[in-house]
Each structure stands twice: as C-alpha cells, then as structure tokens.
Amino acid sequence: MDFIIFGFMDNLVLIIGMYYSYASVEFYLEKYFENIKANPLILACVSAGLGNTFSDGVGFLVTGNFMYMSLTMIGCLIGMIIIPIIHCSRKKQIV
C-alpha cells in the first residue's frame, strides 16, 4: 500500500508543480539574476530534476518512510550531476 500512496503523491505533486511553476521559473531567474541569461534547455533540465526530487520526497514523506525519502532525494540530486556534463560535452561538439 505504501508504494501506491507514494506513486499517487509523487505524480500529484509533480503535475501540480508543473502546471503552476513552469512558466514562472524563467521569469524569476531573469528577475533576480538580471545579467545572467539562462539556457532554456538547462533551465528545463534543472527544473525537471528538482521537481522530481521534491515530488519523490513528498511521496515518501506521506508514507512515513523517512529513510527511503532521504536516500531517494540524495540519489535524485546526485543524478543531476549529468546536466552540466552533458551541457559541456554538447558545447564542445558544436564548436
């Protein structure tokens, strides 16, 4: 039953977050970092990674399994290391 609750909360939070925050993320980045223009692809990848991390955490938090919540969130954040690696390798291919 825990995994059904986890799956429901995970997707619920992710979908609600996508509907209410996707359009505003770039607006806030540009507002607070006026001199920095964000690459839309990088912004989308980071937003997706953080959204997934948060929704996974909420999913496990609701089930009361704090160890799985912590380990899953750490794993999600570690997995985001690939974003700058891919970005750098794509830059080298283009030049």
Side-chain angles (χ1 to χ4, degrees), residues 29 41 51 66 70-71:
L29 276 180
L41 180 60
F66 298 110
S70 301
L71 295 174

Side-chain angles (χ1 to χ4, degrees), residues 24-82:
S24 63
V25 171
E26 191 168 342
F27 169 77
Y28 286 113
L29 276 180
E30 289 179 359
K31 180 179 175 182
Y32 292 111
F33 302 105
E34 294 174 4
N35 298 329
I36 300 172
K37 290 293 179 188
N39 179 329
L41 180 60
I42 298 294
L43 182 61
C45 289
V46 170
S47 296
L50 291 176
N52 182 59
T53 301
F54 180 73
S55 67
D56 283 355
V58 170
F60 277 119
L61 182 66
V62 171
T63 65
N65 197 331
F66 298 110
M67 186 181 79
Y68 281 170
M69 178 192 76
S70 301
L71 295 174
T72 300
M73 290 180 78
I74 290 168
C76 288
L77 293 172
I78 291 171
M80 289 177 62
I81 292 172
I82 195 70

